[in-house]
Amino acid sequence: MSCLFNTVGHARMGSTQGVAALVLLTFAFSTTTGSFTGVSSLHRVPVDAQEILSRCVALKTTPGPSQEFHDREVSDRFEEGTNATLIRNCTIFTGEKNGTVVIHGDILLDKGIVKGLGKVSRRVIDNTPNLTLIEANGAWVTPGLVDLHSHLGLLSAPILAGAFDVNSPNGPVLPWLRSIDGLNTHDDAYALSIAGGVTSAQILPGSGNAIGGQAFIIKLRKTSERSPSSMVVEPPHTLTGNSNEGYSPFRWRHMKQACGENLIRYGTRMDSMWSFRSAYNEARKVKNMQDAYCAKAEAGLWGALDGPFPESYQWEMLVDVLRGKVKISNHCYEAVDLDNIVRLTNEFQFPIASFHHASEAYLVPDVLKKAWGGTPAAAIFATNHRYKREAFRGSEFAARILADEGIPVVMKTDHPVINARYLIHEAQQAHHFSLPPHLALASVTSTPATIAGLSHRIGILAEGTDADVVMWDSHPLRIGATPVKVWIDGIVQIPVPSKTDEKKEVEVGKGKEGEEWKEAPQVPNWDKERNQTLKWDGLPPLEGRRKGDRIVFTNVKQVWNRGSEVGVEEVFSADGSGSLGSVTVENGRVTCMGVSCAQTAGQAEVVDLKGGSISPGLMTYGSTLGLEEIRGEPSTGDGEPYDAFQRNIPKILDDVGGIVRAMDGLMFGTRNALLAYRSGVTLSTTSLAKPAFLFAASAHLISGLSTTFRTGAAHAMESGAIVQDVVALHVVVGKAHPIFSAGAPSVSTQIATLRRLLYGWESNDQETGVWFQRAAEGVVPLVIEVDSADIMASLLIVKAEVENNIGSRMRMVFSGATEAHLLAKEISDADVGVILSPARPFPMVWDQRRILAGPPLTNDTSLVTLLREGVIVALGARDAALARNTRFDLEWAALESNGRINQRQAYAMATTDLEKLLGVRGVDQEGADMVAFEGGGMFDISSKVVAVISPRREFVDLF
Ligand SMILES: *[C@@H]1O[C@H](CO)[C@@H](O)[C@H](O)[C@H]1NC(C)=O
Ligand SMILES: *[C@@H]1O[C@H](CO)[C@@H](O)[C@H](O)[C@H]1NC(C)=O
Ligand SMILES: *[C@@H]1O[C@H](CO)[C@@H](O)[C@H](O)[C@H]1NC(C)=O
Ligand SMILES: *[C@@H]1O[C@H](CO)[C@@H](O)[C@H](O)[C@H]1NC(C)=O
């Protein structure tokens, strides 16, 4: 913390401290009276006096665009040769006034700037040469989306150890680091994000440091220069070294701060707050010295200046923070952390632009309002919560609660934590949980742009802003909304310009031609849940109210049932006359279904479904649901099984592979399980094969035996809680994790082991021998977590060998299976099933890099490709917190197929087909749980689960 005064050459003013040269009259200090006397005297004034004075003026200037900026004719980001574009007949969400302004009309993009909006005059059009015309036919057009929290280019896809620039190990306080210094321009995720309508992002250093460094806002398109520098929007002079930027010399700077548990490597919360305070104290000293120096210079007391202008190369960033020239993004989850930082802002008097993650911000809005210099925005996830203690109280209702408090809400991805391509889905979910539509769209456009101090360029469509535009295939708040066209700086990005002469048209939005697709979806009423969440400090009870006797569901539009063979089928529909039906349930069993059941209501409790539906519950697979409460807290879960490759299995287990059963580790009533239950996911098949997360590798070749349980059960002994004790045998085969790979065996070693076990060379008086023999004989499915097509091919060869060897037919399933589309025919020929997990692919690691991205990048998705070859495909979820979103994942997959998958098939992918692949037998037509939705069907974002009907357990759970 030393090294205060570095007399580093001052690039900004381009000066060296000069020798006195001029003689001027000025005021002098009287040694006799101890005050300024006003007596004229002679002083020598330094040659750079003017520079010192203008520098002093600059200290007090607030950054922001100048008048010259607003008068610009050509954007500084304009690429020569870019033609002007007129997009005609749009429904334009401009982002202005918190998203309340919608204009019907045209947009003219020229010279990298929005040159016309709404009514563009004939004269302007006639005077614009080389104009490209686009007919929008009334489609929704928004500003390019702005992701306020991203690690694009720092944590690149696919992750490789050689490009992993997130947290520095060099101390808690590092304001001199710059994210731009680590920005990889070859991240696969730029193009993917643009395909989701994201055109700019704030690239934040990681949260492993209290002050992680300076952040930069970039545009995601490839520039002609191909450099990181050319991607930065409004690089501050501290980056460019140029004080004469032309129209905007004083540009906002951005910085990342973090608090809470991520700083554990530097001590406790108490330590990290001291590291902040001591750093800001050093910065304050510099600032005070500068202010004193300027006070003397401005008073003309040149003789009283002792030495050069006080500055510190080390602390200059924090000095700028104290001068209000920096937009700080502060990672901060809990009440304690938010309170700490707010106290810090008041002690040192600087503002925070936004709190990120901010899981508990909705519980302490008044704390945020006490922040010095104005209330920070909250930049949050929609439903990605509970992954660590700090996030345990995170709520899907936070966005609405914060908005009601007048706190600006930003939805963000923390890419690659959430794939930035799906930033709009965060806004869709926030809207589903009752954030008003204008604020939901603003939360990914104008609000983040305003928070970042860049709304004069991005996040808003107004004349004079940069020309980043997205044209959507439906209202952007509808599930599966996909960009048809994307422009950045007026340059078309989507559809992707072909690199060859071959023209490949990608079909986007087939089946969304109806007018209803252009409207924001209706959403359920969540007032009760929101109030409960606040009342219970973020942890409202999630169990249903169990009712055994008679219940009548009225105003039922549709009832679906499990078919006798495969999938689900509609067994009641209110169309025709249009009159809605009712369904009577007694002791959890449907006893009447039709238009006249309501008459039997009598004493029964009545539940009005308001045109909703009743349909079979879904099953989730692929996450740790039911094995842990909080992913990041080992004491809340089953723990780590032994990995036979890492060390010998303890003798007391007496089994070389250490095969264990997921059922033995089950925990009931976890919040993730109950939320899944309340979202229509009534079953989970859970294995011990933990998906590898960003910051942890957990691939154990031998991953034991899975189990199927009811997500809404209270404990394992409850009737019906365990649907099937042993389901399938699970193994994980893949390349080492790029970062956490110590001791991982090679792929060839893993396959050699698998071959040996499947050949039956392990004694079968132990679990390992027994279960691999059963897998080889096809008695139990062998579910292999695998992503690489090359590894899948090797596994298909092993399968054929084993089958030849013992004359069996194995039931092999590939789960994960990101690259399975490359091998669709071979997988089909081998009769292997596929569970795509996650439902939408992302090239996180090398094994997953060859994704089939789907529209608007490719016509086909993996799902469509595999189904076309006759493969049985189901969808999985990697993250226990996101199992609740299964119904939307199914809907989205069907929409992305451009009409090639219908709702029945979509249903099967999380019910009958998934059961068939995993070998789940116990779910039958009679005993299966049914889910009652209010205000819509299983796949509608406008519907909400109000009850689960459980014939097997003989009651109804009401929510
Ligand atoms: C937008 O909403 C915020 C509160 O979230 C409010 O402070 C601000 O004045 C609003 N801006 C406009 C232009 O209405
Ligand atoms: C119009 O296009 C032609 C051909 O590409 C080009 O030479 C000319 O410079 C363009 N004019 C403008 C104003 O962009
Ligand atoms: C711009 O427009 C001109 C005239 O229509 C055309 O020849 C040229 O190919 C266009 N340039 C681009 C990059 O589309
Ligand atoms: C705009 O598009 C809508 C929907 O296709 C169409 O009904 C309308 O006539 C169009 N308006 C104009 C001015 O072209």
Side-chain angles (χ1 to χ4, degrees):
M1 303 278 171
S2 63
C3 185
L4 246 186
F5 291 98
N6 248 332
T7 42
V8 174
H10 198 276
R12 173 159 37 175
M13 293 299 159
S15 73
T16 51
Q17 297 303 317
V19 194
L22 286 172
V23 180
L24 281 182
L25 283 171
T26 185
F27 293 97
F29 192 77
S30 157
T31 45
T32 48
T33 62
S35 65
F36 289 101
T37 59
V39 173
S40 303
S41 62
L42 292 176
H43 269 297
R44 291 176 86 71
V45 172
V47 274
D48 59 348
Q50 260 328 309
E51 282 180 23
I52 290 172
L53 288 173
S54 55
R55 185 161 181 181
C56 291
V57 170
L59 296 183
K60 294 172 201 137
T61 316
T62 307
S66 63
Q67 191 52 47
E68 272 173 76
F69 174 85
H70 293 297
D71 295 342
R72 67 184 180 154
E73 287 292 324
V74 180
S75 169
D76 53 350
R77 306 185 53 79
F78 176 66
E79 300 259 5
E80 282 303 329
T82 308
N83 285 346
T85 303
L86 182 70
I87 317 167
R88 276 215 291 235
N89 194 7
C90 320
T91 307
I92 308 163
F93 169 88
T94 68
E96 288 188 293
K97 300 196 173 139
N98 287 327
T100 53
V101 181
V102 173
I103 297 175
H104 296 272
D106 309 337
I107 305 179
L108 177 65
L109 312 177
D110 191 15
K111 300 281 186 286
I113 298 174
V114 175
K115 286 278 175 74
L117 197 75
K119 263 202 133 30
V120 180
S121 80
R122 196 67 247 171
R123 189 181 50 79
V124 172
I125 292 170
D126 290 344
N127 288 332
T128 307
N130 297 354
L131 188 63
T132 305
L133 275 184
I134 304 287
E135 284 298 338
N137 290 318
W140 278 92
V141 167
T142 66
L145 308 187
V146 181
D147 194 350
L148 197 64
H149 188 140
S150 178
H151 304 292
L152 266 167
L154 301 183
L155 246 169
S156 300
I159 297 177
L160 293 170
F164 191 77
D165 285 271
V166 194
N167 299 308
S168 165
N170 294 326
V173 172
L174 307 163
W176 42 85
L177 301 188
R178 297 167 163 180
S179 67
I180 188 76
D181 293 338
L183 194 80
N184 171 17
T185 55
H186 305 295
D187 187 337
D188 285 357
Y190 294 120
L192 293 170
S193 304
I194 293 170
V198 180
T199 59
S200 53
Q202 175 169 228
I203 308 305
L204 294 169
S207 50
N209 312 93
I211 300 180
Q214 299 163 32
F216 293 85
I217 309 226
I218 62 165
K219 292 213 190 181
L220 310 192
R221 75 173 167 89
K222 255 198 170 24
T223 63
S224 53
E225 190 181 287
R226 306 187 190 202
S227 66
S229 297
S230 59
M231 297 171 84
V232 178
V233 185
E234 294 210 339
H237 59 75
T238 43
L239 188 69
T240 59
N242 179 4
S243 65
N244 304 312
E245 272 312 326
Y247 50 72
S248 194
F250 299 109
R251 293 173 160 185
W252 286 107
R253 304 177 75 184
H254 300 87
M255 193 177 81
K256 172 76 177 282
Q257 291 192 161
C259 49
E261 66 183 70
N262 284 14
L263 298 171
I264 197 81
R265 99 175 87 167
Y266 299 114
T268 63
R269 281 182 166 77
M270 297 181 281
D271 289 299
S272 48
M273 285 318 295
W274 170 244
S275 67
F276 275 119
R277 290 169 56 223
S278 52
Y280 275 111
N281 191 44
E282 294 305 316
R284 183 162 60 183
K285 286 185 208 161
V286 180
K287 175 178 179 284
N288 288 345
M289 280 187 258
Q290 291 175 345
D291 289 347
Y293 192 92
C294 283
K296 287 179 196 160
E298 282 161 356
L301 298 173
W302 298 107
L305 299 184
D306 41 1
F309 191 90
E311 64 183 330
S312 158
Y313 200 48
Q314 187 177 16
W315 298 115
E316 62 82 28
M317 184 67 185
L318 296 192
V319 174
D320 263 3
V321 170
L322 296 179
R323 295 195 181 284
K325 295 173 187 285
V326 180
K327 301 286 190 185
I328 295 179
S329 293
N330 208 131
H331 159 123
C332 221
Y333 282 81
E334 290 192 82
V336 56
D337 299 312
L338 295 164
D339 192 51
N340 286 344
I341 294 295
V342 166
R343 223 186 299 110
L344 183 75
T345 69
N346 284 297
E347 182 179 355
F348 291 95
Q349 306 198 330
F350 66 89
I352 298 285
S354 48
F355 279 120
H356 289 236
H357 301 303
S359 289
E360 297 188 9
Y362 74 99
L363 294 172
V364 292
D366 293 336
V367 171
L368 269 64
K369 289 175 192 175
K370 283 185 189 161
W372 194 91
T375 309
I380 58 179
F381 292 131
T383 51
N384 182 29
H385 303 301
R386 295 174 293 286
Y387 44 87
K388 56 176 168 171
R389 191 195 81 102
E390 290 179 333
F392 194 49
R393 286 164 204 262
S395 170
E396 60 273 43
F397 305 113
R400 168 65 187 271
I401 295 169
L402 289 162
D404 284 352
E405 289 285 345
I407 294 173
V409 175
V410 172
M411 304 310 294
K412 49 92 193 191
T413 66
D414 194 2
H415 178 93
V417 172
I418 288 177
N419 180 354
R421 183 178 177 188
Y422 305 126
L423 176 59
I424 194 68
H425 187 48
E426 294 300 296
Q428 290 162 357
Q429 294 176 78
H431 175 238
H432 173 69
F433 291 110
S434 70
L435 185 66
H438 65 281
L439 290 181
L441 284 180
S443 78
V444 290
T445 53
S446 51
T447 309
T450 305
I451 296 305
L454 284 172
S455 58
H456 54 289
R457 298 192 73 131
I458 59 176
I460 285 190
L461 286 176
E463 283 183 30
T465 58
D466 289 11
D468 304 342
V469 182
V470 187
M471 187 173 125
W472 299 88
D473 69 346
S474 55
H475 190 287
L477 293 177
R478 291 203 165 254
I479 289 287
T482 303
V484 181
K485 296 196 187 295
V486 177
W487 292 265
I488 301 181
D489 298 317
I491 305 166
V492 72
Q493 309 291 315
I494 298 289
V496 178
S498 174
K499 284 180 190 148
T500 62
D501 288 338
E502 199 187 340
K503 281 255 176 289
K504 277 182 285 179
E505 290 280 307
V506 176
E507 194 164 30
V508 180
K510 195 172 163 195
K512 300 183 186 175
E513 293 81 11
E515 281 303 303
E516 70 276 14
W517 287 94
K518 289 189 179 158
E519 281 165 22
Q522 295 293 311
V523 296
N525 183 317
W526 300 100
D527 290 353
K528 184 182 72 184
E529 290 82 354
R530 198 164 64 243
N531 291 335
Q532 285 276 310
T533 301
L534 284 172
K535 192 164 131 192
W536 289 84
D537 231 2
L539 299 177
L542 297 171
E543 291 82 4
R545 180 164 58 88
R546 292 184 172 185
K547 248 187 100 55
D549 43 2
R550 189 132 56 99
I551 295 185
V552 179
F553 294 94
T554 60
N555 293 317
V556 183
K557 195 166 170 199
Q558 278 183 324
V559 180
W560 294 69
N561 214 340
R562 292 171 64 93
S564 43
E565 285 294 312
V566 59
V568 300
E569 55 195 27
E570 197 181 69
V571 291
F572 170 82
S573 172
D575 41 34
S577 73
S579 56
L580 300 173
S582 46
V583 171
T584 307
V585 177
E586 286 172 82
N587 295 322
R589 225 162 256 286
V590 174
T591 53
C592 179
M593 185 193 316
V595 284
S596 52
C597 295
Q599 288 144 19
T600 65
Q603 297 295 312
E605 183 161 344
V606 174
V607 179
D608 183 355
L609 292 190
K610 301 174 184 161
S613 74
I614 296 178
S615 50
L618 304 175
M619 180 162 83
T620 183
Y621 167 77
S623 73
T624 52
L625 197 75
L627 285 176
E628 62 194 7
E629 181 77 62
I630 303 174
R631 193 202 309 150
E633 288 287 341
S635 70
T636 70
D638 178 50
E640 278 297 306
Y642 290 101
D643 181 353
F645 275 107
Q646 297 284 354
R647 54 175 151 158
N648 289 333
I649 304 295
K651 211 171 175 84
I652 193 159
L653 202 52
D654 195 25
D655 175 39
V656 67
I659 291 224
V660 290
R661 302 174 184 213
M663 190 187 94
D664 296 336
L666 276 187
M667 297 167 56
F668 285 82
T670 63
R671 298 193 75 78
N672 286 334
L674 291 175
L675 285 166
Y677 184 58
R678 295 175 72 109
S679 310
V681 180
T682 55
L683 295 176
S684 176
T685 294
T686 297
S687 82
L688 296 154
K690 287 194 185 172
F693 276 96
L694 274 184
F695 296 108
S698 195
H700 294 188
L701 174 67
I702 299 174
S703 291
L705 304 165
S706 53
T707 188
T708 302
F709 66 97
R710 276 193 163 77
T711 52
H715 53 75
M717 299 293 286
E718 193 177 273
S719 167
I722 306 282
V723 174
Q724 191 168 322
D725 51 358
V726 170
V727 176
L729 175 63
H730 295 258
V731 298
V732 181
V733 182
K735 297 188 189 66
H737 188 282
I739 315 291
F740 308 98
S741 55
S746 68
V747 171
S748 44
T749 307
Q750 295 168 48
I751 292 183
T753 308
L754 200 56
R755 182 186 287 114
R756 178 178 172 275
L757 293 171
L758 289 170
Y759 268 51
W761 293 343
E762 192 56 49
S763 150
N764 88 21
D765 52 17
Q766 282 177 323
E767 296 273 305
T768 300
V770 169
W771 288 103
F772 277 93
Q773 184 182 347
R774 288 185 190 168
E777 289 169 350
V779 177
V780 293
L782 178 66
V783 181
I784 306 176
E785 187 73 36
V786 57
D787 282 301
S788 147
D790 290 312
I791 301 177
M792 287 185 223
S794 298
L795 291 166
L796 294 181
I797 293 167
V798 169
K799 176 175 184 283
E801 286 170 8
V802 170
E803 290 175 348
N804 265 338
N805 192 35
I806 61 176
S808 68
R809 201 72 182 142
M810 287 178 65
R811 293 155 67 191
M812 189 179 275
V813 176
F814 294 151
S815 165
T818 307
E819 295 189 350
H821 62 97
L822 295 172
L823 220 56
K825 179 163 190 321
E826 291 73 13
I827 289 172
S828 173
D829 289 347
D831 221 0
V832 168
V834 168
I835 303 173
L836 294 171
S837 174
R840 294 172 296 282
F842 181 72
M844 187 76 87
V845 293
W846 194 254
D847 273 356
Q848 303 167 328
R849 77 192 184 288
R850 295 173 292 182
I851 68 168
L852 192 54
L857 295 175
T858 64
N859 258 319
D860 288 340
T861 59
S862 279
L863 178 58
V864 167
T865 308
L866 291 162
L867 288 176
R868 193 166 48 215
E869 293 294 343
V871 179
I872 296 180
V873 191
L875 297 186
R878 291 272 168 159
D879 192 324
L882 304 183
R884 65 181 304 174
N885 294 343
T886 303
R887 65 189 184 116
F888 300 139
D889 290 342
L890 296 172
E891 164 75 351
W892 195 338
L895 288 169
E896 264 193 334
S897 77
N898 281 329
R900 287 174 287 181
I901 297 172
N902 61 30
Q903 289 213 337
R904 270 189 64 158
Q905 285 169 301
Y907 236 120
M909 293 190 293
T911 54
T912 46
D913 282 349
L914 182 56
E915 291 158 20
K916 187 194 285 176
L917 291 179
L918 292 170
V920 179
R921 294 178 308 272
V923 195
D924 55 13
Q925 205 177 346
E926 296 288 289
D929 291 345
M930 305 275 281
V931 183
F933 293 90
E934 181 189 289
M938 173 69 89
F939 299 126
D940 298 330
I941 199 166
S942 52
S943 73
K944 166 186 179 182
V945 175
V946 290
V948 173
I949 301 163
S950 190
R952 176 77 180 73
R953 295 181 293 166
E954 302 182 349
F955 60 74
V956 174
D957 257 328
L958 292 171
F959 305 116

